[in-house]
Amino acid sequence: MTPQIAPSLLAANFYDLKPQLEAVKAAGASVLHIDVMDGMFVPNISVGIPVIESLAKTSGMTLDVHLMINNPDRYIKAFAEAGGDWLTVHYEAVPVNELRGLLAEIRDMGLKAGLSVKPDTDTDVIEDYAELCDLILIMTVPPGFGGQHYDPDGNARIARVRAILDKKNPGCILSVDGGIDRHTIAGAHRAGADLFVAGSAVFGEPDAGEAVKELLSIL
Ligand code: DX5
Ligand code: ZN
């Protein structure tokens, strides 16, 4: 995939979303990353179904929904109906014997199916599921909060997953999430990522559009 920036909604000002989304779209970002947290899988609570419904109707962006929730199977249908386009579940949040079925269920609903791993999960687990996924999301911070530092092992982890995908599913999107900014994005790109989630480095900047342009210029 052509490298893309996916601005992460978590870092936006929720009082005044529209101009921020228009700015990132005008700068070339067509994918919006939305973090859904349940206060159980991660120690934080963020946004959910009604917010996705509104954004699906009006944002004109592809909604990349990152489910940081336990037992996401309970909510796949609801997020699909709300208008999510890509649904990513966490490897650590789903019983191993249910994961294949869950990824297939997401695809059967006509969505892209994503699988994410936390920084301390062995990336080799991806191997068994790569063909069932349209997106792999490598977490490069412990999930739950924006504004954290990029995992020093992040690039090596991305490179290992790139090798797995080259073998098993070359068309699969390889996304990186956490601590992506003007200093870390080039290394993640060289390691093989092609979708770069960025929260603070986009919406934490005075001009979100300029921030997207700057990140894109590094790729
Ligand atoms: C963290 C979320 C990220 C977060 C990234 O759990 O998954 O998407 O918004 O924020 P930054 O880019 O600030 O590290
Ligand atoms: Zn995320």
Side-chain angles (χ1 to χ4, degrees), residues 33 35 66 68 177:
H33 184 85
D35 293 300
H66 179 189
M68 283 169 274
D177 184 8

Side-chain angles (χ1 to χ4, degrees), residues 74-85:
R74 294 171 299 166
Y75 289 104
I76 295 303
K77 192 161 174 276
F79 280 105
E81 285 173 358
D85 296 294

Side-chain angles (χ1 to χ4, degrees), residues 8-11 33 35 37 66 68 139 141-148 177-180 197-201:
S8 180
L9 185 71
L10 192 63
H33 184 85
D35 293 300
M37 305 179 187
H66 179 189
M68 283 169 274
M139 289 302 304
V141 296
F145 299 92
Q148 305 182 79
D177 184 8
I180 288 291
V197 175
S200 330

Side-chain angles (χ1 to χ4, degrees), residues 183-196:
H183 306 294
T184 54
I185 196 167
H189 184 223
R190 275 195 301 272
D194 45 22
L195 182 70
F196 303 86

Side-chain angles (χ1 to χ4, degrees), residues 49-113:
I49 291 160
V51 172
I52 289 169
E53 256 167 14
S54 299
L55 290 168
K57 279 194 204 114
T58 50
S59 70
M61 299 181 82
T62 298
L63 304 185
D64 168 29
V65 180
H66 179 189
L67 295 176
M68 283 169 274
I69 63 176
N70 280 336
N71 303 108
D73 54 293
R74 294 171 299 166
Y75 289 104
I76 295 303
K77 192 161 174 276
F79 280 105
E81 285 173 358
D85 296 294
W86 306 352
L87 282 194
T88 294
V89 298
H90 262 270
Y91 174 80
E92 305 85 358
V94 183
V96 168
N97 61 342
E98 292 174 19
L99 189 49
R100 300 181 77 83
L102 184 58
L103 292 166
E105 189 187 333
I106 297 172
R107 276 185 166 176
D108 286 347
M109 289 180 180
L111 311 184
K112 280 197 198 299

